[in-house]
Amino acid sequence: MPNKVISAEAAARLVSDGDTVTTSGFVGIGVPEALLKALETRFTDTGAPRDLNLFFAAGQGDGKTRGLNRLGHKGLVKRVIGGHWGLIPRVAALAMADDIEGWNLPQGVISHMYRDIAAGKPGTLTKVGLETFVDPRLQGGRVNARSTDEIVRLMEIDGEEYLYYPAFPVQVALLRGSTADRAGNITMEREALTIDNLSQAMAVKNSGGVVIVQVERTVARGALNPRDVEIPGALVDAVVVAPPEDHMQTFATPYSHAFAGKYRVEGDDLADMQLNARKIIARRAAFELPVGGIVNLGIGMPEGVAAVAGEEKLLDHLTLTAEPGVIGGQPASGLDFGAAINTDAIVAQNQQFDLYDGGGLDLAILGMAEVGPDGAVNVSRFGPKLAGAGGFINISQNARAVVFAGTFTSVGVDVDVQDGALNIRQEGRVSKFIEAIQQITFSGSRASRLGKPVLYVTERCVFSLGADGIELIEIAPGIDLQRDILDRMGFAPIVNQPQLMDARIFDPAPMDLRVDLLHLDLADRIALDTQTNVLFINFGRLRLRTLRELDMIRARVEEVCGALDHRVDVIANYDRTRIDPDIEDTYGAMVNDLEDRFYATVTRYSGSAFMRMKLGTVFERGRAPHIFESADEARQFLKDRSGG
């Protein structure tokens, strides 16, 4: 078997005119920088290769010159199909100038296409992208007028709509690992991610192409543990040893043992965030975190939620994930994004998207650039900027619940907190909530039709998605509804009875959010006054999402009432209570059972007309639910019934 180690310059000469080239990487992780640099140098020196077709899933760049930006030369690239363009402005500029053909497809779809190409399948069939700009009834993923080919097709199977993404051969893979032996076996023990390297290598090998892998070191043939090998040498044609400056673990960090999973670090050592707009938004979004659930945090504003979860000691009760394959731990941010510390596992990117596309995400917290009146969101294209969707479409379309997080306006917005109230020091110059968004990256109408819970969290207010569009449900203390919100929107949202955002969000002290989310205060919330024989149930601001939480409530009531030889009267507070639709029927049945066993007269109250109506529906089966607007009315009713 020949020695497969060659120079970067020799590797660049293996790429021919017109080749379809796929590259590894996620932001600055796993990017074969030495190979890309050599390919760029060959082109600038010789004019070859020309007219390459670039095919990549995640964004690979620093927003300036590194990564795929090195291929941003007119003539070097002819056609680009990519998942995220925001970090490669040099390539994006070619597309915006109509100098190249370009398509933006969902990152997870491209990740799955590698696998399907490797398997010799005709293409990838999925619902991902329906009713977004990727749908051929809209733009079909095209980024400019020059791109006329149809690379996405609408299909119907058994009465349901799907999108079909046809496969095509790929001639060159430029990948990256940590260690190679002379036979080309590749390990990735010092990498922060494994991404799609194996699927890409298989796709190219089965297309009759060339697989080139950049590493930082080589060892003798046979020295590698086969269980550590990520890319078998049989799939690898050439290995290039890169200098350290071209083989950083991320574009921000030369090497971190924590990112490689070698050591764990204490979360307490992580710096707390300052109380600014970013933290306010992250704190409010953190109220939606599902205990015991699986969560995806997007890039940008949502990254702060991981820091807040760390501050609030919630990381042990959640599984935070990132689309390139991180499961558990605390995701990193900035140019380290995609890496994480204290992870439970690192899986391949295509496997992560299997989990996501199949509905395995309990919650996704994502960014937003534009929001329309029907709840549609654009993060992929605005003005002259081509950002691309990345994994946003896969994640937002398939997560069980979604929180979009971002400032209410952009470009120059500046806020601070004074005495627990939000103060807008300078308003942003660009409105985000507008009548017509430029591109649909998330379909609000589809989500509403399917009953998906969706929130839009800003520093000054919170909206929810309903059947008739978005509704304003919360306002920050110190904010004027008309001046600071309605006058700065391009459409009129639904406004019924918006509540104040939780005061703890605007206090620098920790919020003790774990008490809320873990229901550690359930003993205080359900308590018996033995003098009056009244059981007080305080579900104010409580959110019920899981059957486990219902079991906790049942157990607490049984603990208090089970040993009594008489029934108790009940006053229940449902102010700002949220009961998820999936468990409403079970909750109603549980309460009816407790009422049959332990309760005499039951009164309930809520300041929300919607909640009173909802409670009436939940408890209407053969009951006479006594639901009032205030605690005083509930107490008076109970007093009248008892003759006191």
Side-chain angles (χ1 to χ4, degrees):
M1 184 176 292
N3 182 356
K4 296 183 178 181
V5 180
I6 63 175
S7 68
E9 294 72 24
R13 290 194 293 271
L14 296 176
V15 183
S16 301
D17 291 353
D19 276 349
T20 295
V21 179
T22 186
T23 58
S24 67
F26 184 93
V27 187
I29 300 169
V31 177
E33 186 72 4
L35 299 180
L36 295 171
K37 185 183 291 186
L39 190 59
E40 178 186 36
T41 299
R42 180 188 169 203
F43 177 78
T44 56
D45 288 350
T46 70
R50 298 187 62 82
D51 298 332
L52 299 180
N53 302 296
L54 181 60
F55 183 44
F56 65 93
Q60 301 159 32
D62 61 354
K64 298 176 182 177
T65 60
R66 290 184 287 182
L68 293 179
N69 288 293
R70 297 191 179 279
L71 305 187
H73 296 276
K74 190 174 181 179
L76 174 56
V77 175
K78 177 183 72 174
R79 179 184 177 103
V80 175
I81 300 174
H84 192 275
W85 295 65
L87 295 170
I88 53 171
R90 290 186 173 182
V91 177
L94 295 176
M96 298 302 286
D98 269 353
D99 289 330
I100 61 173
E101 297 175 82
W103 288 264
N104 178 204
L105 301 186
Q107 180 178 323
V109 169
I110 295 177
S111 183
H112 285 155
M113 287 181 72
Y114 295 144
R115 202 168 58 187
D116 291 339
I117 292 169
K121 295 180 180 179
T124 300
L125 187 68
T126 176
K127 291 187 176 183
V128 174
L130 283 170
E131 300 181 48
T132 72
F133 74 90
V134 179
D135 193 313
R137 292 168 292 190
L138 298 176
Q139 291 123 305
R142 300 175 182 86
V143 303
N144 58 22
R146 178 172 176 171
S147 309
T148 57
D149 289 352
E150 184 181 85
I151 68 169
V152 186
R153 303 177 198 163
L154 179 68
M155 299 182 67
E156 185 174 302
I157 300 176
D158 294 335
E160 294 194 44
E161 291 182 340
Y162 291 84
L163 294 183
Y164 174 65
Y165 301 80
F168 47 83
V170 185
Q171 285 80 40
V172 179
L174 304 180
L175 309 176
R176 185 175 122 161
S178 298
T179 307
D181 66 12
R182 298 285 173 166
N185 294 299
I186 308 294
T187 62
M188 301 182 70
E189 71 277 5
R190 287 172 60 84
E191 303 297 312
L193 299 167
T194 58
I195 328 178
D196 287 318
N197 282 7
L198 179 58
S199 292
Q200 289 173 284
M202 288 181 172
V204 170
K205 194 67 175 179
N206 287 347
S207 296
V210 176
V211 177
I212 308 168
V213 185
Q214 168 184 317
V215 298
E216 59 179 300
R217 60 193 180 188
T218 59
V219 296
R221 182 177 299 151
L224 298 175
N225 184 333
R227 298 297 295 270
D228 294 335
V229 173
E230 293 284 346
I231 309 175
L235 304 179
V236 177
D237 296 286
V239 172
V240 172
V241 179
E245 64 270 19
D246 292 333
H247 205 95
M248 293 175 63
Q249 192 180 45
T250 79
F251 279 153
T253 302
Y255 179 74
S256 164
H257 290 292
F259 288 166
K262 297 295 183 183
Y263 301 106
R264 299 181 76 84
V265 297
E266 293 293 337
D268 290 342
D269 294 339
L270 302 173
D272 290 346
M273 298 170 64
Q274 293 184 338
L275 187 57
N276 52 21
R278 182 183 180 88
K279 184 166 187 175
I280 290 168
I281 293 166
R283 278 183 151 188
R284 176 58 187 87
F287 275 79
E288 305 303 313
L289 292 171
V291 172
I294 300 175
V295 180
N296 171 272
L297 300 178
I299 196 168
M301 192 65 71
E303 297 172 47
V305 178
V308 169
E311 290 178 19
E312 298 290 333
K313 315 301 182 190
L314 285 169
L315 290 178
D316 289 341
H317 304 284
L318 303 164
T319 300
L320 299 182
T321 68
E323 58 266 32
V326 170
I327 297 179
Q330 183 164 351
S333 60
L335 288 179
D336 285 330
F337 184 67
I341 61 172
N342 303 339
T343 58
D344 296 325
I346 303 292
V347 302
Q349 181 170 247
N350 55 72
Q351 293 171 320
Q352 188 82 305
F353 278 110
D354 286 339
L355 174 68
Y356 287 3
D357 290 355
L361 276 176
D362 295 291
L363 175 69
I365 303 178
L366 305 169
M368 57 182 180
E370 294 178 341
V371 181
D374 65 348
V377 176
N378 172 29
V379 299
S380 46
R381 187 164 184 168
F382 19 93
K385 184 176 181 181
L386 174 59
F392 186 96
I393 296 176
N394 296 81
I395 296 164
S396 63
Q397 183 174 323
N398 294 303
R400 296 176 187 174
V402 183
V403 173
F404 295 110
T407 53
F408 185 76
T409 59
S410 62
V411 188
V413 63
D414 183 21
V415 305
D416 63 8
V417 177
Q418 298 177 3
D419 299 324
L422 186 67
N423 174 48
I424 300 175
R425 300 171 59 185
Q426 178 176 301
E427 190 56 84
R429 297 191 296 276
V430 177
S431 297
K432 287 188 175 182
F433 292 83
I434 58 178
E435 179 63 31
I437 65 176
Q438 185 172 350
Q439 192 168 73
I440 298 175
T441 330
F442 170 78
S443 172
S445 58
R446 176 180 172 83
S448 175
R449 192 169 68 248
L450 297 176
K452 184 192 293 289
V454 180
L455 291 182
Y456 308 81
V457 174
T458 78
E459 80 288 353
R460 70 187 69 175
C461 60
V462 179
F463 300 91
S464 67
L465 178 63
D468 298 321
I470 67 171
E471 177 183 354
L472 179 66
I473 61 171
E474 295 178 22
I475 301 176
I479 291 299
D480 182 89
L481 170 61
Q482 190 66 45
R483 181 193 66 221
D484 299 325
I485 299 176
L486 300 181
D487 287 349
R488 300 190 179 278
M489 299 180 68
F491 60 90
I494 300 167
V495 181
N496 287 320
Q497 294 179 311
Q499 306 287 321
L500 279 178
M501 295 171 69
D502 195 296
R504 291 173 293 175
I505 296 171
F506 305 93
D507 186 332
M511 297 188 296
D512 288 332
L513 189 56
R514 64 194 302 271
V515 173
D516 294 45
L517 298 188
L518 300 178
H519 304 308
L520 300 179
D521 58 347
L522 205 55
D524 295 327
R525 286 182 175 272
I526 302 175
L528 177 66
D529 184 339
T530 56
Q531 301 260 324
T532 61
N533 194 42
V534 174
L535 181 69
F536 290 95
I537 299 177
N538 177 17
F539 286 167
R541 295 180 179 272
L542 186 68
R543 180 175 181 185
L544 300 176
R545 294 181 269 202
T546 67
L547 297 178
R548 182 187 67 86
E549 293 168 328
L550 303 192
D551 289 340
M552 293 171 64
I553 292 170
R554 179 188 291 107
R556 174 57 183 165
V557 172
E558 290 174 341
E559 177 187 2
V560 173
C561 301
L564 301 177
D565 59 1
H566 58 273
R567 291 177 175 267
V568 298
D569 293 328
V570 176
I571 297 179
N573 171 16
Y574 283 94
D575 255 344
R576 301 191 68 181
T577 306
R578 293 170 60 189
I579 305 172
D580 281 11
D582 289 348
I583 64 169
E584 278 182 6
D585 289 344
T586 306
Y587 178 75
M590 178 199 70
V591 173
N592 289 341
D593 174 65
L594 294 174
E595 189 170 342
D596 289 340
R597 293 160 59 196
F598 302 121
Y599 302 165
T601 300
V602 182
T603 61
R604 304 173 176 95
Y605 67 92
S606 173
S608 166
F610 175 77
M611 190 63 195
R612 293 196 299 274
M613 178 185 68
K614 189 171 185 177
L615 291 173
T617 302
V618 170
F619 299 123
E620 68 183 357
R621 297 171 180 83
R623 311 273 170 171
H626 306 297
I627 306 168
F628 300 95
E629 188 173 352
S630 68
D632 289 342
E633 291 175 336
R635 292 191 185 96
Q636 186 60 48
F637 176 84
L638 191 61
K639 183 178 179 181
D640 293 343
R641 285 290 294 264
S642 63

